[in-house]
Amino acid sequence: MVGIVLISHSGGLAAETAALARQIGGAKVPLAAAGGTEDGGLGTSPDRVSAAVEEVDQGDGVVLIPDLGSSVLTARLLESPGQVVIADVPFVEGAVSAVVAAGGGASLDGVLAAAEEAWHFRKL
């Protein structure tokens, strides 16, 4: 199954987005939140993100979903074509879409495409 890592400057935002995505998309999807710094502050930690990638990688690839700024730069450090890819998507909507797709057995490309469709979700 494709793994998913949510990368945020805020540990709380990453954890709560992961909880929401799990509740909607299924608890069996390998999903990790990598938010904040080691001391609990705002920021991103390459070590946390790397550990999260290792945690969720089951051999079918990993989708990284960063929130903004340096989280994108951190994600780029771990990008590996065909294995670890970055989804340029709205954070919450993209996370939910990716988890639903992964839970349905989609391939790495399928999970990435599902996350990217979040750009088209309308609220009104």
Side-chain angles (χ1 to χ4, degrees):
M1 188 177 292
V2 173
I4 300 162
V5 176
L6 306 181
I7 308 168
S8 175
H9 287 75
S10 165
L13 177 61
E16 292 302 322
T17 301
L20 174 67
R22 274 193 189 97
Q23 289 176 11
I24 294 172
K28 296 185 189 241
V29 174
L31 172 64
T37 60
E38 283 81 3
D39 64 0
L42 289 178
T44 55
S45 164
D47 291 337
R48 282 185 162 205
V49 177
S50 181
V53 168
E54 289 180 27
E55 175 187 331
V56 302
D57 189 358
Q58 297 184 349
D60 296 316
V62 176
V63 175
L64 306 177
I65 301 179
D67 61 0
L68 52 94
S70 64
S71 67
V72 177
L73 298 175
T74 300
R76 287 190 181 252
L77 293 172
L78 299 168
E79 193 173 24
S80 176
Q83 296 176 338
V84 179
V85 298
I86 301 171
D88 178 14
V89 299
F91 193 67
V92 174
E93 294 89 339
V96 170
S97 296
V99 169
V100 169
S107 67
L108 181 62
D109 288 340
V111 173
L112 182 60
E116 289 173 343
E117 289 210 12
W119 280 113
H120 304 291
F121 293 167
R122 300 198 39 98
K123 295 179 181 161
L124 298 177

